[in-house]
Amino acid sequence: MMAVTSSCKDKLGMDSGKYVRYTPEQVEALERLYHECPKPSSLRRQQLIRECPILSNIEPKQIKVWFQNRRCREKQRKESSRLQAVNRKLTAMNKLLMEENDRLQKQVSQLVYENSFFRQQTQTAALPATDNNSCESVVTSGQHNLTPQRPPRDASPAGLLSLAEETLTEFLSKATGTAVEWVQMPGMKPGPDSIGIIAISHGCSGVASRACGLVGLEPTRVAEILKDRPSWFRDCRTVDVLNVMSTGTGGTIELLYMQLYAPTTLAPARDFWLMRYTSVMEDGSLVVCERSLNNTQNGPSMPPVQTFVRADILPSGYLIRPCEGGGSIIHIVDHMDLEPWSVPEVLRPLYESSTLLSQRTTMAALRHLRQISQEISHPTVTGWGRRPAALRALGQRLSKLFFQFLMFFLHLNIFIPFVMELLITLCRGFNEAVNGFTDEGWSMLESDGIDDVTILVNSSPSKLMGANLSYANGFPSMSSAVLCAKASMLLQNVPPSILLRFLREHRSEWADSGIDAYSAAAVKAGPCSIPVTRTGSFGGQIILPLAHTIEHEEFMEVIRLESIGHYQDDMIMPGDIFLLQLCNGVDDNAVGTCAELMFAPIDASFADDAPLLPSGFRIIPLDSKSDASSPNRTLDLASTLEVGPAGSRPTGDHSKSSGSTKSVMTIAFQFAFEIHLQENIAAMARQYVRSIISSVQRVALALSPSRIGSLPGLRSPPGTPEAHTLARWICQSYRFFLGVELLKSVSGGSESILKEIWDHLDALMCCSLKALPVFTFANEAGLDMLETTLVALQDITLEKIFDDNGRKALFSELPQIMQQGFACLQGGICLSSMGRPISYERAVAWKVLNEEEDAHCICFMFINWSFV
């Protein structure tokens, strides 16, 4: 008991039962010292006594106790502030939940009324018709239920005001009413630590999402931020305000033209011609609502823009209400019709998914507001300010010591405004590369005969603001440009988050050190040349976390690739290579999240005029029910997808029943180059992106939860009568043309022949006799060699598996095969559907004859094949 009492006295600043009283001057001096060093060591406390004469009459032990009490009071103050903030948030969330409960009760009442009404209608319709008049009445009533074609809207000033009030009413009915049936977004549960109450539409036209949340900003500030859509919506290319009108009630009507980037190379971009109405309601709430003006007359209009698809924004907007104690309660509604008919059917889930709209638009707005609120309520203590001057001053040389210091300095993960600007710039640069708009200076180069990779060139002066490219001999280049190589591919049974984490953590599995070195040298002032294959490599990937966003698995990093090779042959190598990298969508539990990995080489000085050329990957999940192609398949879409009406592809439930998940992956890489090296850089870029595609496909196959052959039944021989007949024709034709048996022992009927062919050690595959031969059958060894399945086999053409030399040799032997009936091919190299090189000792090709002795197909047998 005595020990406890003594300890408590020390904590309270007592000594031998006496209080220690400090003068105001002493308290002021101690407070000043506390802000400089909250936890001084024993030597530091003694030094403080010597440096401050006013503290000379206080013992070091008493000063130690004062600092302990001061830290305790500071901790209590922070905890009290935190609890007050949590209490305010819970109060606001409780208000939101009560409003949501009222809305749900209204919706239940409406559904009960509709249910009783439909039940009466059903009973009335069940009564037998007694005369022609009753029949006519039923038909007439059915016609009245059809939705009529809306006449064009009046776009004159008076008409726009009427349309604005109608838009406001419709928006409020969606934000707080029952105009849309909202369901809770999967994986998003409301609570004190959540971003808000997130819901998506169910059964309405188009796609819609809604969010309700609390932000620590005033309503006018919230409206100002949300109106500046390009600052927070990364898919927004531009918003142009073409006209502004004031209303008599103090509101404003704006006519806007907005363009959105396409998320992948396989779909066109979207644009919108819309009206935005801003007004203040009687209760002080601020409302910003908008809708498209596509069907208008007697007013301004926006003609269609080439390369863009005109989409519709249905009544949407923001309801911002002031909150007691500061801050705002905000309701966000996004409702769009993105015209999914204009994209290939397999991609239509991207434009029919309310979940994806919520992730990329609605929740992005709420996150951006919360990030700004966080910065205002917790100002940075680093002293960097709003510009990266301190970072550039420290970064004159990114030495190891600086790197270690900066890693410690940034460990707080503060999302400073500078990093936000970098993030938007990085995303915008990647979107520009993916879309390649002609008005930005992009032009397409001719293909090399294979349309899997698209090459664009931009030679506009604004693209490379500060790049100083030079010839290898040191003379300055007369002009410079940027080349972009891009492609898209469909992935199946590979979760985007897992694949992206692998690409981020295992860069050496897909990246080329020579290309990285070339890209890094291109943004520096100095000579650069064409990258070549090198014996050295880059190792020691070090990741520096600049920042991560609030409540969102998103990271901005600086990566240093340490050079462990020796390159004395040219001046391209900049030593260590630094990449600014953005990574998001790595959370396995997030639903419908787009996963992105973007990076750009940077100079250590972080110069304002240094070009930022982002490259990287974007993986967007697709809804499996929209496309029922076979599972366990990874294929290139660039040359095989066609835009067509819905229902043009076969449908089924096989994909869904086997747990198949699909996603579309977009790859884009940018290279700065000297204009006279365009042809060489284009060839290098094509080869590099194709190698990356092959690497990604191999990784995706390895990471797939159900790899090829892992599901029962996928590798059993086909049991159709056609397959048994084909197996018999293959053996008979081989014996007829070559004079020997294909199978060692043939006993039994056609079923045993098919099983023998299926289990044959050599790869057997048949291709059709068409202008563009495609494979129609392969045994198990052939499927292993091509890395595909029987269902996906028909999408592989014969010429696709051979390189240039192989194609020339094959085409020279085709006449002999058709005339003589067979040909023996020398050993060589071919490619699987995943792009992996395959070596074979020799191959035999023979013509397969049917019962009428007509040519049915050509069969190939690859002997002693193996992956290189």
Side-chain angles (χ1 to χ4, degrees):
M1 186 68 181
M2 293 296 296
V4 174
T5 304
S6 176
S7 175
C8 291
K9 287 183 178 181
D10 289 343
K11 292 285 183 181
L12 295 173
M14 300 178 183
D15 186 17
S16 301
K18 296 181 180 180
Y19 287 98
V20 177
R21 298 184 180 276
Y22 299 96
T23 64
E25 293 79 8
Q26 290 175 332
V27 173
E28 181 181 356
L30 289 172
E31 286 287 346
R32 185 171 59 253
L33 297 174
Y34 175 81
H35 288 292
E36 294 177 1
C37 181
K39 195 173 183 179
S41 62
S42 176
L43 295 177
R44 177 59 175 156
R45 290 194 298 269
Q46 294 177 2
Q47 182 182 0
L48 293 177
I49 295 177
R50 292 193 300 268
E51 293 177 352
C52 297
I54 197 172
L55 302 176
S56 58
N57 62 335
I58 303 178
E59 297 181 1
K61 184 178 180 180
Q62 294 172 340
I63 292 181
K64 176 182 178 181
V65 172
W66 186 91
F67 273 93
Q68 289 176 345
N69 293 338
R70 182 65 177 83
R71 290 194 299 270
C72 184
R73 290 196 303 270
E74 182 71 16
K75 184 177 180 180
Q76 291 175 347
R77 184 188 65 81
K78 290 182 178 180
E79 182 65 14
S80 176
S81 300
R82 188 189 69 82
L83 292 176
Q84 290 177 3
V86 171
N87 182 60
R88 288 195 302 268
K89 187 173 182 180
L90 289 174
T91 302
M93 291 294 294
N94 181 60
K95 184 177 179 181
L96 283 176
L97 290 174
M98 292 176 63
E99 292 177 355
E100 181 70 6
N101 185 50
D102 293 339
R103 188 192 67 81
L104 291 175
Q105 288 181 352
K106 293 179 183 178
Q107 187 172 353
V108 168
S109 301
Q110 182 178 352
L111 291 174
V112 170
Y113 171 77
E114 291 178 353
N115 183 44
S116 61
F117 174 77
F118 287 136
R119 184 174 297 174
Q120 284 183 343
Q121 291 290 102
T122 304
Q123 294 174 355
T124 303
L127 297 176
T130 58
D131 53 18
N132 294 335
N133 292 334
S134 61
C135 294
E136 183 179 356
S137 175
V138 172
V139 173
T140 305
S141 64
Q143 291 177 347
H144 284 297
N145 289 332
L146 296 176
T147 303
Q149 183 77 20
R150 283 193 174 186
R153 302 270 186 171
D154 183 13
S156 63
L160 286 177
L161 180 58
S162 174
L163 186 60
E165 294 294 338
E166 179 183 334
T167 303
L168 174 61
T169 302
E170 292 187 35
F171 160 67
L172 292 178
S173 67
K174 296 176 183 178
T176 60
T178 59
V180 174
E181 182 181 353
W182 299 109
V183 296
Q184 181 176 300
M185 183 173 172
M188 299 297 298
K189 295 183 179 180
D193 296 327
S194 68
I195 189 175
I197 302 175
I198 312 297
I200 56 177
S201 62
H202 175 70
C204 74
S205 61
V207 290
S209 65
R210 188 190 68 167
C212 307
L214 172 68
V215 294
L217 300 170
E218 295 303 315
T220 54
R221 177 61 175 151
V222 173
E224 176 186 350
I225 294 171
L226 292 176
K227 283 185 175 183
D228 186 16
R229 197 179 251 114
S231 68
W232 57 266
F233 186 23
R234 299 174 193 175
D235 292 341
C236 182
R237 185 192 183 204
T238 181
V239 175
D240 296 327
V241 180
L242 303 182
N243 195 6
V244 180
M245 297 182 298
S246 299
T247 64
T249 57
T252 58
I253 297 177
E254 302 167 280
L255 300 183
L256 310 177
Y257 175 67
M258 179 174 67
Q259 293 180 346
L260 300 185
Y261 291 109
T264 174
T265 62
L266 303 175
R270 265 56 181 165
D271 66 348
F272 302 85
W273 169 237
L274 63 149
M275 174 198 68
R276 183 166 65 195
Y277 179 42
T278 305
S279 64
V280 179
M281 302 181 66
E282 294 180 356
D283 60 354
S285 300
L286 186 60
V287 179
V288 181
C289 57
E290 56 191 14
R291 77 180 307 157
S292 288
L293 293 175
N294 290 346
N295 189 26
T296 58
Q297 63 181 6
N298 301 329
S301 61
M302 177 62 63
V305 180
Q306 191 177 7
T307 71
F308 284 87
V309 172
R310 183 63 51 85
D312 287 340
I313 290 184
L314 306 176
S316 307
Y318 318 105
L319 171 61
I320 312 164
R321 295 185 291 187
C323 184
E324 297 180 3
S328 303
I329 298 176
I330 180 172
H331 297 253
I332 303 176
V333 173
D334 288 303
H335 194 178
M336 298 183 182
D337 182 0
L338 297 173
E339 304 294 341
W341 58 265
S342 61
V343 301
E345 186 176 352
V346 71
L347 295 180
R348 288 178 189 170
L350 297 183
Y351 299 89
E352 296 174 340
S353 171
S354 296
T355 299
L356 193 61
L357 174 70
S358 180
Q359 288 281 358
R360 297 189 68 83
T361 308
T362 313
M363 295 175 63
L366 203 53
R367 286 193 184 102
H368 185 73
L369 291 172
R370 291 170 65 86
Q371 287 165 4
I372 295 179
S373 175
Q374 178 87 350
E375 292 165 11
I376 294 176
S377 60
H378 299 86
T380 62
V381 295
T382 60
W384 285 12
R386 288 196 166 266
R387 295 197 55 79
L391 179 60
R392 288 198 300 268
L394 288 174
Q396 294 299 322
R397 177 179 242 174
L398 274 173
S399 62
K400 292 184 178 180
L401 179 61
F402 161 72
F403 195 89
Q404 294 171 357
F405 166 74
L406 195 58
M407 183 177 293
F408 169 77
F409 195 57
L410 295 175
H411 188 64
L412 297 175
N413 284 331
I414 298 173
F415 201 86
I416 59 176
F418 167 53
V419 178
M420 292 180 65
E421 294 175 9
L422 282 180
L423 188 149
I424 294 295
T425 303
L426 204 63
C427 293
R428 180 174 293 272
F430 184 80
N431 282 327
E432 289 177 358
V434 169
N435 288 262
F437 296 115
T438 55
D439 59 356
E440 291 176 350
W442 291 102
S443 60
M444 185 180 299
L445 297 184
E446 292 185 2
S447 171
D448 62 347
I450 305 177
D451 295 330
D452 56 343
V453 179
T454 302
I455 302 294
L456 301 176
V457 171
N458 192 333
S459 56
S460 60
S462 60
K463 188 62 180 175
L464 280 175
M465 294 184 300
N468 182 14
L469 300 180
S470 305
Y471 291 111
N473 56 12
F475 292 99
S477 174
M478 297 301 295
S479 60
S480 59
V482 175
L483 183 142
C484 175
K486 58 183 182 179
S488 291
M489 55 194 296
L490 183 68
L491 303 173
Q492 298 202 45
N493 286 350
V494 183
S497 58
I498 295 178
L499 178 57
L500 195 83
R501 280 204 304 268
F502 183 91
L503 296 176
R504 172 177 175 259
E505 297 169 2
H506 303 276
R507 184 181 179 86
S508 60
E509 294 293 330
W510 56 267
D512 183 270
S513 60
I515 305 297
D516 286 337
Y518 172 81
S519 301
V523 299
K524 293 173 175 287
C528 62
S529 59
I530 301 176
V532 295
T533 304
R534 304 176 181 275
T535 56
S537 62
F538 283 87
Q541 174 178 338
I542 300 178
I543 297 178
L544 165 63
L546 279 181
H548 74 270
T549 57
I550 303 171
E551 300 157 348
H552 189 41
E553 290 299 324
E554 184 172 69
F555 304 91
M556 177 73 80
E557 307 161 323
V558 172
I559 295 179
R560 184 181 71 192
L561 305 177
E562 296 177 310
S563 175
I564 61 175
H566 301 280
Y567 308 99
Q568 304 295 337
D569 52 344
D570 55 40
M571 300 174 62
I572 182 177
M573 187 53 54
D576 290 346
I577 293 177
F578 296 92
L579 300 176
L580 180 67
Q581 180 167 281
L582 169 67
C583 180
N584 59 39
V586 296
D587 185 7
D588 293 331
N589 298 321
V591 179
T593 303
C594 171
E596 296 174 322
L597 181 67
M598 305 173 189
F599 45 86
I602 56 174
D603 194 359
S605 62
F606 283 87
D608 285 331
D609 58 349
L612 199 64
L613 301 178
S615 303
F617 310 89
R618 173 180 289 153
I619 313 173
I620 308 177
L622 298 173
D623 189 358
S624 61
K625 69 180 180 180
S626 297
D627 181 44
S629 57
S630 67
N632 306 311
R633 181 180 172 194
T634 305
L635 69 161
D636 176 26
L637 287 180
S639 59
T640 59
L641 290 181
E642 294 180 356
V643 177
S648 60
R649 292 179 179 267
T651 59
D653 294 328
H654 180 71
S655 175
K656 187 175 180 179
S657 63
S658 60
S660 173
T661 59
K662 295 181 182 177
S663 56
V664 59
M665 183 181 205
T666 299
I667 304 172
F669 278 76
Q670 297 189 77
F671 307 93
F673 68 98
E674 300 168 16
I675 198 66
H676 71 287
L677 298 175
Q678 175 174 306
E679 191 173 331
N680 296 330
I681 297 297
M684 176 273 296
R686 278 195 182 96
Q687 181 181 358
Y688 185 45
V689 172
R690 284 170 181 163
S691 68
I692 291 176
I693 291 175
S694 300
S695 300
V696 169
Q697 289 173 331
R698 288 196 297 271
V699 170
L701 185 65
L703 296 178
S704 174
S706 52
R707 301 173 61 179
I708 292 179
S710 63
L711 293 179
L714 283 181
R715 282 311 180 88
S716 59
T720 61
E722 293 81 4
H724 294 296
T725 302
L726 179 60
R728 189 175 69 253
W729 290 349
I730 290 173
C731 294
Q732 291 174 354
S733 301
Y734 187 89
R735 181 173 61 251
F736 178 79
F737 291 114
L738 282 83
V740 294
E741 292 291 342
L742 174 64
L743 305 178
K744 294 182 179 179
S745 60
V746 180
S747 59
S750 58
E751 293 184 2
S752 60
I753 296 176
L754 177 59
K755 189 177 186 307
E756 290 278 348
I757 288 181
W758 182 258
D759 297 331
H760 201 281
L761 295 179
D762 296 322
L764 294 169
M765 53 194 74
C766 297
C767 70
S768 60
L769 294 173
K770 296 180 180 180
L772 186 62
V774 296
F775 289 104
T776 58
F777 172 81
N779 67 346
E780 187 173 26
L783 295 179
D784 289 336
M785 174 179 161
L786 295 179
E787 293 187 295
T788 186
T789 63
L790 280 172
V791 181
L793 184 66
Q794 60 186 352
D795 291 336
I796 303 175
T797 60
L798 177 62
E799 64 177 7
K800 188 176 181 180
I801 70 169
F802 290 97
D803 57 10
D804 293 337
N805 295 331
R807 280 193 291 267
K808 292 178 182 178
L810 175 63
F811 291 152
S812 64
E813 295 291 342
L814 278 178
Q816 178 183 348
I817 297 175
M818 300 306 297
Q819 294 176 7
Q820 183 178 330
F822 74 99
C824 295
L825 307 178
Q826 296 181 353
I829 299 291
C830 63
L831 301 175
S832 72
S833 63
M834 305 295 183
R836 298 177 66 184
I838 304 165
S839 66
Y840 56 94
E841 183 178 317
R842 66 183 186 276
V844 179
W846 67 95
K847 185 167 55 175
V848 177
L849 304 178
N850 57 18
E851 300 292 350
E852 290 77 19
E853 295 187 355
D854 295 328
H856 176 74
C857 62
I858 297 178
C859 186
F860 291 86
M861 181 169 61
F862 294 88
I863 302 171
N864 293 336
W865 65 272
S866 63
F867 290 106
V868 178

